[in-house]
Structures are given as C-alpha cells and as structure tokens.
Amino acid sequence: MKEITMEEVKENVCKLIGKDWMLVAAADGEKVNAMTASWGGMGVMWGKNVAFLVIRPQRYTKELIDKSDYISLNFYGEEYRKMLNYMGTVSGREEDKIQKSGLHTLFDGQTPYFDEARMVLITKKLYEQPFTPDGFYEKDLIEKWYPADDYHTMYICEIEKVLV
C-alpha cells in the first residue's frame, strides 16, 4: 500500500461508511479484533482531519479500542460484503474471526490493519464520550436505537495516515 493525503481521498464519506461499511480494528498489545461499522463520519476538528465512530459497550472490539491509542478504519470493495457481514455478526470473544474471515493482519507500529483493504485510515484517539439520554433532542431516537440502554461511545480520532 502507498500513503496518500486525506485531501487526495475523493470518495463520498456517507457512502463509504454508511453504505460500503468499514472494519474498525484495534489491538491491546496481544489480541487483535475488528468489527464492521456503518455509523461514523469524517471532517475537521481542533484543526485536524478526523474520523468519528461509535461503538456499543458490549462489543469486544471496544475493549481493545479502550486499551489502545490507535484504531484503523479499513474499507473494502463490494466483493468483500460477505466477509463484512460475517465480521459484524460474530464476536471475537467466541472465535478467531479474523483468521476465519481469511483476512491478513498487517501493522503500522502497534496499529493492526488488513492487507485486503482498498483503503485504510490509521487514526489516533483524541476524545471519547458515551452517549447519554439527556443529550438527545429527538427522544424517539432513544426508543428506536437504544431500547436496551446500550448507548454507543463516540470516539473522535485524528487521521494520521491514509493507505491505498
């Protein structure tokens, strides 16, 4: 893979994350895990190019994200849709889903990413905040998305590298 600047990325972020999906990967020094995500975005915060993503508390990948300073966001072509479905429905607590998926893990420093991705963002955590009921202006979102009170934690991460 080669490194490009964020300004060279010409893809629609809403399609990239919301329709194409991404794999969010992290490591705690020993274990690597990844999960499919389709909620998040990219923009500028505190004068930095950033990505933001949200993770539910019960996700195994969140445990690794919370122990690491870095997260990778991995993007794939449509031919990987079956793998993305699998990675979003099976827990890494129960099986080595990276191995079973056929993905090959690479590292940028301590940050895991996958050789099969067509684009990877290497990001550094800047901020995290759990969602709370009092933060919602549209209360029907709580009923629709959080009937089990399992509110996401939002992470804002500086995009340090873009690999294609």
Side-chain angles (χ1 to χ4, degrees):
M1 297 187 110
K2 71 173 188 168
E3 187 172 349
I4 65 170
T5 66
M6 192 61 202
E7 291 74 20
E8 293 175 276
V9 175
K10 302 298 181 206
E11 300 194 51
N12 177 308
V13 173
C14 292
K15 181 180 181 304
L16 193 64
I17 295 172
K19 301 288 184 208
D20 296 345
W21 305 342
M22 62 183 164
L23 276 186
V24 177
D28 69 358
E30 296 177 24
K31 300 174 191 166
V32 174
N33 200 55
M35 59 172 270
T36 303
S38 62
W39 287 10
M42 295 179 212
V44 178
M45 191 75 171
W46 305 301
K48 301 172 184 279
N49 291 329
V50 298
F52 72 89
L53 58 143
V54 293
I55 311 286
R56 289 198 192 263
Q58 63 267 41
R59 298 301 297 256
Y60 176 56
T61 302
K62 184 181 184 310
E63 293 176 25
L64 303 183
I65 289 171
D66 289 344
K67 293 178 183 176
S68 176
D69 291 333
Y70 289 87
I71 304 166
S72 71
L73 308 179
N74 300 260
F75 299 92
Y76 297 85
E78 187 59 34
E79 67 274 20
Y80 287 95
R81 180 66 62 179
K82 184 176 179 181
M83 176 274 297
L84 289 166
N85 274 312
Y86 168 75
M87 295 294 284
T89 56
V90 173
S91 174
R93 281 188 194 98
E94 279 125 44
E95 62 184 60
D96 186 347
K97 65 182 187 177
I98 293 171
Q99 180 188 15
K100 285 190 175 183
S101 72
L103 293 173
H104 298 91
T105 307
L106 302 172
F107 288 88
D108 183 86
Q110 299 291 319
T111 311
Y113 68 97
F114 302 106
D115 192 36
E116 294 77 10
R118 65 180 177 82
M119 182 171 71
V120 176
L121 304 181
I122 304 294
T123 70
K124 181 180 179 181
K125 291 188 314 188
L126 298 174
Y127 180 84
E128 74 177 78
Q129 180 70 51
F131 286 176
T132 60
D134 60 330
F136 285 86
Y137 284 90
E138 293 188 24
K139 301 300 183 187
D140 62 324
L141 293 173
I142 296 170
E143 185 176 314
K144 180 176 182 179
W145 296 105
Y146 303 102
D149 294 328
D150 58 342
Y151 295 93
H152 288 91
T153 295
M154 179 181 62
Y155 298 88
I156 300 175
C157 306
E158 180 178 8
I159 301 168
E160 290 196 340
K161 288 185 185 177
V162 180
L163 304 173
V164 295

